[in-house]
Amino acid sequence: MTSTRREILALMAAAGGSLAVTGALYARGLGDDGQSPVALQPAPAAETVTQLAPIAAKFAAAMPIPATLRPTSTTSTTDYYTLPVVPASVEILPGVLTSVLTYGGSFPGPTIRARAGRRTVVKQLNSLTSGTSMHLHGAVVDEANDGGPMDLVQPGASRNYTYLNPQAASTLWYHDHAHHVEAEHVYRGMSGLYLITDDNEAALPLPKGQYDVPIMVRDIGLNPDGSLFFDHQFDTRPQILVNGKPQPYFQVAARKYRLRVLNASNLRPFEFRLSSGHEFTQIASDRGLLAEPFVTTSLPLSPGERGDIIVDFSRYPVGTSIVLENTLFPQDSTKEIMRFDVVRTAYDASSVPARLATLPAPLSPTVTRTFELDMDETTGTGRINGLSYDENRADTTVRWGDTEVWEIKNLDFIPHNFHIHLVDFRVLDINGVAPRAGEAGLKDTVRVMPNETVRILVTFNFPYAGRYYYHCHLIDHSSMGMMANLDIVRS
Ligand code: C2O
Ligand code: CU
Ligand code: CU
């Protein structure tokens, strides 16, 4: 039987699209001989395949807001934090304790709030039995503090990560990056938000304070005893969590809210919409505010991507409920993300200005490179340009200050994406078509769906040089080798 990947994708979409659509392992999409595609059926429910815990009752838990981490001390220039990596027991399913790995004991980790130009120092103590490496995703940071895959904090050891925050207001997140175990560490709980604000953002009349709400969405699989099930498989992660709770509800006032949406899943891409079908306004993407607001009905986010949206609940009478839905490959259990319940009216002086930020003008490229992403069907390793990650190999060397076009191709029939450390970039086009306005701002992670070729424009003029990384942020894939070294050299 021969089928092209495009045909397989079309068939899978017709079949409900969950079987191996974002699976890490090709085996799930292939026959027993490991070669021929399986006859496409609606995917068996993960619970029957692996006997996971049943999906928790939806909209039963209140959505928590991760606590803001308090500095242990503060000077005129610097906020000092302590953030130990510790195992913990948390209630994910009601009345059941689940063992997780955390930053600071909470699942997800606490939110760190930073100010552009002000220094943050995070002291990490590793109480796990394996090495860790905390990476601040989206940070403009020197190599020594980037949390690289080989730069481990050994069990029992501690170290400081220093961030100068020389960058615009943005929704960043920190997560583990210790190579080969990053996917499992992140899956078991090692991630949290890091929010940078700046003078420009502070002066805008956007919703603030209690009306500026983080929405960390991820999927997970739980065994019937409440323990986590982890095996690099998409189909075994049927439970949606928001800020650590299963498909929660959140009570809102009938006014505008800023929702900072992060896809914190290992493998699952989402496309969010409101069940009312109403428009909302995207104001920011990965690396900060868009130049102008983008009115839309959908927000696509692959793992690691962020999108800040303004939802105006004043159009709904008190007593209305609106569900945040996922329209991408929705299995029954992942279609509904959370529910907003409009419970009161409130004064609202906020607004969305027509201009949000001034983005740097794109520069002309002098270099073009191509990166092909695929999973090796026989060995189950992730590859970029045919090679799995090797810490000792120089994969890509760029000159500091150069502007380059990177063409990224997904050779597979499962989704991938592409993240580069340190820099931000512009998405030029996706299969030759300009991106939607929500993806035309400053990005650090971009979807590369099956059969897509995405071209990005990146200028390596950030105030650091040295060894950085690029990888697929379907993080099981990078754990399996879909990652490479990026050396930025000053000449
Ligand atoms: Cu969010 Cu290299 O990672
Ligand atoms: Cu990163
Ligand atoms: Cu991938």
Side-chain angles (χ1 to χ4, degrees):
M1 173 176 177
T2 57
S3 294
T4 67
R5 288 175 167 154
R6 187 173 294 279
E7 285 165 349
I8 292 165
L9 183 69
L11 283 164
M12 292 174 70
S18 54
L19 182 62
V21 161
T22 56
L25 300 176
Y26 260 75
R28 290 302 278 271
L30 298 171
D32 288 340
D33 60 359
Q35 303 291 329
S36 21
V38 292
L40 289 145
Q41 317 267 344
E47 305 89 287
T48 62
V49 172
T50 59
Q51 282 145 1
L52 294 182
I55 301 300
K58 64 187 178 191
F59 314 139
M63 184 187 79
I65 309 279
T68 295
L69 191 62
R70 295 230 228 121
T72 51
S73 67
T74 282
T75 69
S76 59
T77 59
T78 310
D79 298 316
Y80 294 90
Y81 295 94
T82 300
L83 193 55
V85 180
V86 285
S89 269
V90 297
E91 186 180 307
I92 299 174
L93 300 176
V96 179
L97 286 179
T98 296
S99 296
V100 293
L101 305 180
T102 71
Y103 290 104
S106 66
F107 177 88
T111 299
I112 297 175
R113 293 178 184 270
R115 182 132 196 138
R118 192 178 157 76
R119 198 156 72 124
T120 304
V121 177
V122 180
K123 180 175 189 179
Q124 184 110 109
L125 311 148
N126 179 9
S127 313
L128 305 186
T129 52
S130 57
T132 59
S133 174
M134 186 172 82
H135 171 59
L136 180 52
H137 180 129
V140 176
V141 64
D142 63 316
E143 172 188 350
N145 291 284
D146 184 45
M150 299 299 164
D151 188 7
L152 301 186
V153 183
Q154 296 301 336
S158 77
R159 66 160 288 177
N160 287 340
Y161 289 96
T162 299
Y163 309 112
L164 303 184
N165 303 302
Q167 59 191 113
S170 42
T171 300
L172 310 187
W173 65 306
Y174 59 87
H175 63 76
D176 189 65
H177 218 306
H179 191 41
H180 293 308
V181 291
E182 67 268 41
E184 182 158 4
H185 279 171
V186 171
Y187 180 81
R188 293 191 183 278
M190 292 173 64
S191 65
L193 285 165
Y194 185 105
L195 308 180
I196 302 178
T197 190
D198 64 8
D199 292 346
N200 171 52
E201 181 188 61
L204 296 176
L206 298 168
K208 294 189 171 75
Q210 64 172 305
Y211 304 113
D212 175 350
V213 175
I215 307 279
M216 260 178 101
V217 185
R218 61 165 296 181
D219 61 0
I220 202 164
L222 294 143
N223 292 312
D225 65 359
S227 60
L228 295 185
F229 184 86
F230 178 77
D231 79 340
H232 285 307
Q233 275 292 347
F234 168 87
D235 296 287
T236 57
R237 299 170 187 178
Q239 174 73 62
I240 295 294
L241 305 180
V242 182
N243 296 345
K245 289 291 187 187
Q247 294 171 296
Y249 68 86
F250 185 60
Q251 296 187 331
V252 295
R255 54 154 289 157
K256 287 185 284 302
Y257 279 74
R258 175 179 185 168
L259 306 178
R260 297 177 185 252
V261 189
L262 159 65
N263 182 349
S265 300
N266 281 42
L267 286 170
R268 186 185 296 276
F270 293 103
E271 251 179 71
F272 299 108
R273 58 164 245 141
L274 297 173
S275 57
S276 61
H278 283 140
E279 292 172 333
F280 49 84
T281 304
Q282 185 173 349
I283 56 163
S285 62
D286 302 340
R287 291 295 272 271
L289 294 165
L290 303 174
E292 3 185 279
F294 170 54
V295 176
T296 181
T297 55
S298 96
L299 175 68
L301 293 179
S302 67
E305 289 184 290
R306 292 85 73 203
D308 294 21
I309 59 174
I310 306 289
V311 178
D312 189 354
F313 293 104
S314 74
R315 66 160 89 213
Y316 307 107
V318 169
T320 309
S321 291
I322 303 98
V323 175
L324 182 68
E325 295 180 340
N326 168 32
T327 59
L328 191 64
F329 313 126
Q331 290 173 300
D332 290 348
S333 64
T334 67
K335 179 171 182 232
E336 293 167 310
I337 303 294
M338 64 176 294
R339 192 179 71 194
F340 296 98
D341 298 334
V342 183
V343 296
R344 62 187 170 95
T345 56
Y347 174 70
D348 187 2
S350 73
S351 63
V352 181
R355 295 286 311 167
L356 294 165
T358 305
L359 307 188
L363 302 175
S364 296
T366 53
V367 177
T368 299
R369 302 176 199 270
T370 299
F371 300 92
E372 296 185 334
L373 312 181
D374 79 331
M375 296 295 294
D376 180 337
E377 307 178 10
T378 49
T379 59
T381 53
R383 306 189 293 200
I384 299 179
N385 290 341
L387 298 172
S388 242
Y389 185 67
D390 177 350
E391 59 173 303
N392 297 312
R393 190 178 61 226
D395 293 292
T396 298
T397 303
V398 303
R399 269 196 327 194
W400 190 91
D402 275 4
T403 297
E404 304 197 353
V405 170
W406 286 18
E407 183 179 72
I408 304 137
K409 292 174 191 263
N410 180 348
L411 304 185
D412 288 336
F413 58 81
I414 56 174
H416 295 299
N417 72 10
F418 198 80
H419 168 55
I420 313 178
H421 285 213
L422 177 68
V423 298
D424 59 42
F425 54 74
R426 307 300 256 279
V427 180
L428 294 174
D429 46 49
I430 301 162
N431 286 349
V433 179
R436 59 214 299 284
E439 291 172 299
L442 300 178
K443 297 280 293 166
D444 59 37
T445 308
V446 62
R447 294 180 293 154
V448 191
M449 298 300 272
N451 291 304
E452 280 185 353
T453 297
V454 174
R455 292 195 317 138
I456 62 174
L457 181 73
V458 50
T459 300
F460 295 93
N461 61 355
F462 290 75
Y464 302 110
R467 172 150 288 186
Y468 291 91
Y469 310 89
Y470 54 90
H471 57 89
C472 179
H473 216 292
L474 280 72
I475 196 165
D476 298 51
H477 298 180
S478 53
S479 271
M480 297 159 93
M482 199 177 287
M483 177 166 66
N485 293 319
L486 167 65
D487 296 309
I488 303 171
V489 298
R490 295 187 201 261
S491 54

Short mmCIF file of all heavy atoms in Angstrom, two decimals, residues 267 373 375 412 414-417 472-478 482, ligand 3:
data_model
loop_
_atom_site.label_atom_id
_atom_site.label_comp_id
_atom_site.label_asym_id
_atom_site.label_seq_id
_atom_site.Cartn_x
_atom_site.Cartn_y
_atom_site.Cartn_z
N LEU A 267 2.97 18.16 23.47
CA LEU A 267 2.82 17.77 22.07
C LEU A 267 1.61 18.35 21.37
O LEU A 267 1.56 18.34 20.14
CB LEU A 267 2.69 16.23 21.98
CG LEU A 267 3.96 15.42 22.19
CD1 LEU A 267 3.63 13.93 22.33
CD2 LEU A 267 4.94 15.62 21.04
N LEU A 373 12.58 19.02 9.27
CA LEU A 373 12.23 18.34 10.52
C LEU A 373 11.59 17.00 10.20
O LEU A 373 10.66 16.93 9.40
CB LEU A 373 11.23 19.18 11.32
CG LEU A 373 11.55 20.66 11.51
CD1 LEU A 373 10.46 21.32 12.36
CD2 LEU A 373 12.92 20.85 12.17
N MET A 375 10.82 12.79 12.09
CA MET A 375 11.09 11.73 13.05
C MET A 375 11.61 10.53 12.24
O MET A 375 11.06 10.20 11.20
CB MET A 375 9.80 11.31 13.77
CG MET A 375 9.18 12.39 14.64
SD MET A 375 10.18 12.90 16.04
CE MET A 375 10.16 11.41 17.02
N ASP A 412 6.96 15.44 7.86
CA ASP A 412 6.14 14.38 8.46
C ASP A 412 4.66 14.66 8.31
O ASP A 412 4.26 15.73 7.87
CB ASP A 412 6.47 14.26 9.95
CG ASP A 412 7.83 13.63 10.18
OD1 ASP A 412 8.30 12.90 9.29
OD2 ASP A 412 8.41 13.88 11.25
N ILE A 414 2.87 14.46 11.08
CA ILE A 414 2.51 14.92 12.42
C ILE A 414 2.98 16.37 12.55
O ILE A 414 3.90 16.78 11.84
CB ILE A 414 3.17 14.05 13.53
CG1 ILE A 414 4.70 14.03 13.35
CG2 ILE A 414 2.59 12.64 13.52
CD1 ILE A 414 5.43 13.33 14.47
N PRO A 415 2.37 17.16 13.42
CA PRO A 415 2.83 18.53 13.57
C PRO A 415 4.23 18.62 14.19
O PRO A 415 4.63 17.76 14.98
CB PRO A 415 1.81 19.14 14.56
CG PRO A 415 0.63 18.25 14.49
CD PRO A 415 1.17 16.88 14.22
N HIS A 416 4.96 19.64 13.81
CA HIS A 416 6.16 20.05 14.51
C HIS A 416 6.05 21.55 14.74
O HIS A 416 5.09 22.18 14.27
CB HIS A 416 7.43 19.75 13.69
CG HIS A 416 7.67 18.29 13.47
ND1 HIS A 416 7.86 17.41 14.49
CD2 HIS A 416 7.73 17.55 12.33
CE1 HIS A 416 8.05 16.18 14.00
NE2 HIS A 416 7.97 16.24 12.68
N ASN A 417 7.00 22.10 15.45
CA ASN A 417 7.15 23.54 15.43
C ASN A 417 8.62 23.86 15.54
O ASN A 417 9.47 22.95 15.48
CB ASN A 417 6.25 24.25 16.45
CG ASN A 417 6.67 24.07 17.88
OD1 ASN A 417 7.76 23.57 18.19
ND2 ASN A 417 5.81 24.49 18.80
N CYS A 472 12.50 21.62 17.82
CA CYS A 472 11.05 21.47 17.82
C CYS A 472 10.60 21.59 19.27
O CYS A 472 11.18 21.00 20.16
CB CYS A 472 10.65 20.11 17.25
SG CYS A 472 8.85 19.88 17.27
N HIS A 473 9.53 22.38 19.50
CA HIS A 473 9.05 22.53 20.87
C HIS A 473 7.89 21.59 21.19
O HIS A 473 7.24 21.72 22.23
CB HIS A 473 8.68 23.98 21.18
CG HIS A 473 9.01 24.39 22.58
ND1 HIS A 473 8.36 23.86 23.69
CD2 HIS A 473 9.95 25.22 23.07
CE1 HIS A 473 8.88 24.39 24.77
NE2 HIS A 473 9.85 25.22 24.42
N LEU A 474 7.59 20.64 20.29
CA LEU A 474 6.82 19.50 20.74
C LEU A 474 7.89 18.72 21.50
O LEU A 474 8.71 18.01 20.92
CB LEU A 474 6.21 18.73 19.57
CG LEU A 474 4.92 19.38 19.01
CD1 LEU A 474 5.21 20.65 18.25
CD2 LEU A 474 4.14 18.41 18.17
N ILE A 475 7.93 18.97 22.81
CA ILE A 475 9.19 18.82 23.54
C ILE A 475 9.61 17.35 23.65
O ILE A 475 10.79 17.06 23.81
CB ILE A 475 9.10 19.53 24.92
CG1 ILE A 475 10.48 19.74 25.53
CG2 ILE A 475 8.15 18.82 25.85
CD1 ILE A 475 10.48 20.74 26.67
N ASP A 476 8.67 16.44 23.47
CA ASP A 476 9.10 15.04 23.38
C ASP A 476 10.01 14.87 22.17
O ASP A 476 10.94 14.06 22.19
CB ASP A 476 7.89 14.10 23.24
CG ASP A 476 6.96 14.18 24.45
OD1 ASP A 476 6.58 15.30 24.84
OD2 ASP A 476 6.62 13.11 25.01
N HIS A 477 9.73 15.61 21.11
CA HIS A 477 10.55 15.49 19.90
C HIS A 477 11.96 16.01 20.16
O HIS A 477 12.94 15.42 19.69
CB HIS A 477 9.92 16.25 18.73
CG HIS A 477 8.58 15.73 18.32
ND1 HIS A 477 7.84 16.28 17.30
CD2 HIS A 477 7.82 14.71 18.80
CE1 HIS A 477 6.70 15.63 17.17
NE2 HIS A 477 6.66 14.68 18.08
N SER A 478 12.08 17.12 20.89
CA SER A 478 13.44 17.60 21.17
C SER A 478 14.15 16.66 22.13
O SER A 478 15.35 16.41 21.97
CB SER A 478 13.45 19.05 21.68
OG SER A 478 12.60 19.23 22.76
N MET A 482 15.33 16.16 18.23
CA MET A 482 15.01 17.16 17.20
C MET A 482 15.43 18.56 17.69
O MET A 482 14.62 19.43 17.97
CB MET A 482 13.51 17.13 16.85
CG MET A 482 13.20 17.79 15.51
SD MET A 482 11.46 17.67 15.07
CE MET A 482 11.32 15.94 14.61
CU CU B 3 8.36 17.95 16.38
#
